[in-house]
């Protein structure tokens, strides 16, 4: 590298400095998540909300289902138990495969679909567009920074920052979808699904919303 160790030290220092705004954003995200949890807890105490009276249910496609059912089929030598098939553990369907591939390569496409479905009156269209573009920028930024990590490890930390920012955004959306549809879950499971299992989480929500009568997440 031109400049030797001094240039590498400068690059490492620059990567740390550029990472500080991401840390501030993560702090703000934690504060907003805490406030959101407080609001959800208060809303659950209001039994006049018809959503709170709905019976609890689970996702139609489990987070470990969908395209991951291929491994179930392989390890069972094609003899998947009928009880597991009833739980959606048979071979993945066509829509499950398509949605997984879209979520893996262009996750902002199913994300915008989810935001649009849950906002049928398009009252928050500009916000949905902004959030989708923000998610897309962070997604490709994380990939690019990880690749740049081959040059300097400082880029890897920035890549993980962008990755977990997206995880927080998706977790927030998943929590709202669960709340509106009366689906059981918790913030820890939502964060895990929205980070390391994000293609499954996105395809799971798209497929679920396609079968549900959706209530506008933001309310009237």
């Amino acid at each position: 590298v031109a400049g030797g160790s001094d240039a590498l030290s400068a690059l490492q220092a620059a990567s740390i400095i550029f990472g500080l705004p991401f840390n501030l954003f993560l702090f703000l995200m934690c504060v907003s998540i805490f406030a959101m949890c407080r609001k959800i807890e208060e809303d659950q105490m209001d039994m006049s909300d018809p959503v709170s009276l709905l019976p609890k249910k689970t996702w139609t496609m489990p987070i470990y289902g969908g395209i991951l059912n291929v491994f179930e089929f392989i390890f069972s030598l094609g003899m998947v138990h009928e009880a597991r098939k009833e739980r959606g553990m048979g071979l993945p369907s066509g829509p499950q495969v398509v949605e997984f591939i879209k979520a893996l390569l262009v996750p902002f496409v199913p994300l915008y679909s989810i935001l649009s479905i849950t906002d049928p009156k398009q009252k928050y269209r500009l916000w949905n567009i902004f959030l989708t573009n923000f998610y897309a920028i962070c997604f490709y930024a994380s990939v690019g920074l990880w690749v740049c990590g081959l040059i300097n490890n400082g880029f890897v930390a920035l890549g993980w920052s962008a990755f977990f920012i997206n995880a927080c955004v998706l977790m927030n959306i998943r929590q709202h979808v669960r709340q509106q549809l009366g689906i059981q879950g918790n913030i820890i499971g939502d964060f895990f699904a929205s980070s390391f299992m994000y293609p499954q989480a996105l395809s799971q929500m798209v497929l679920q919303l396609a079968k549900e009568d959706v209530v506008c997440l933001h309310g009237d």
Side-chain angles (χ1 to χ4, degrees):
V1 178
S5 59
D6 291 337
L8 287 177
S9 298
L11 183 59
Q12 289 174 344
S15 63
I16 294 174
I17 293 173
F18 284 121
L20 291 178
F22 288 99
N23 293 331
L24 176 62
F25 186 83
L26 286 173
F27 173 76
L28 294 176
M29 286 295 297
C30 291
V31 173
S32 64
I33 291 171
F34 176 76
M36 178 191 64
C37 292
R38 291 279 299 274
K39 183 66 169 59
I40 292 176
E41 184 178 3
E42 293 173 0
D43 291 343
Q44 287 178 344
M45 297 178 64
D46 182 11
M47 296 305 293
S48 62
D49 183 4
V51 175
S52 64
L53 302 177
L54 292 174
K56 296 297 181 181
K57 57 184 179 182
T58 58
W59 296 98
T60 301
M61 187 194 84
I63 196 69
Y64 50 81
I67 199 168
L68 299 182
N69 289 341
V70 171
F71 297 103
E72 174 78 9
F73 184 84
I74 294 174
F75 293 142
S76 64
L77 301 178
M79 296 180 289
V80 182
H81 195 276
E82 291 298 327
R84 297 184 68 80
K85 288 183 179 180
E86 293 176 0
R87 294 176 57 192
M89 296 297 293
L91 282 173
S93 63
Q96 289 175 343
V97 174
V98 172
E99 292 300 332
F100 178 86
I101 294 174
K102 286 198 301 184
L104 181 64
L105 301 178
V106 283
F108 51 89
V109 173
L111 179 70
Y112 185 71
S113 176
I114 293 167
L115 293 173
S116 298
I117 293 173
T118 53
D119 184 24
K121 297 181 180 179
Q122 297 296 297
K123 293 173 60 178
Y124 301 91
R125 183 171 179 271
L126 292 179
W127 169 250
N128 293 339
I129 292 174
F130 168 79
L131 194 61
T132 301
N133 281 280
F134 177 79
Y135 190 94
I137 291 171
C138 287
F139 174 76
Y140 288 116
S142 64
V143 174
L145 289 168
W146 285 333
V147 173
C148 291
L150 297 174
I151 302 173
N152 185 280
N153 291 332
F155 290 114
V156 176
L158 296 178
W160 281 113
S161 297
F163 176 82
F164 284 116
I165 287 173
N166 268 2
C168 292
V169 171
L170 187 57
M171 177 187 68
N172 190 23
I173 295 173
R174 193 171 192 265
Q175 284 183 314
H176 280 289
V177 172
R178 282 199 304 99
Q179 182 186 15
Q180 293 299 324
L181 300 181
I183 295 176
Q184 292 178 323
N186 56 69
I187 190 172
I188 297 176
D190 288 333
F191 181 77
F192 175 78
S194 301
S195 53
F196 301 106
M197 300 285 287
Y198 76 90
Q200 285 288 89
L202 285 166
S203 56
Q204 184 184 59
M205 285 188 282
V206 169
L207 295 171
Q208 187 79 27
L209 291 171
K211 296 183 178 180
E212 299 278 353
D213 291 328
V214 181
V215 180
C216 181
L217 291 185
H218 302 284
D220 294 328

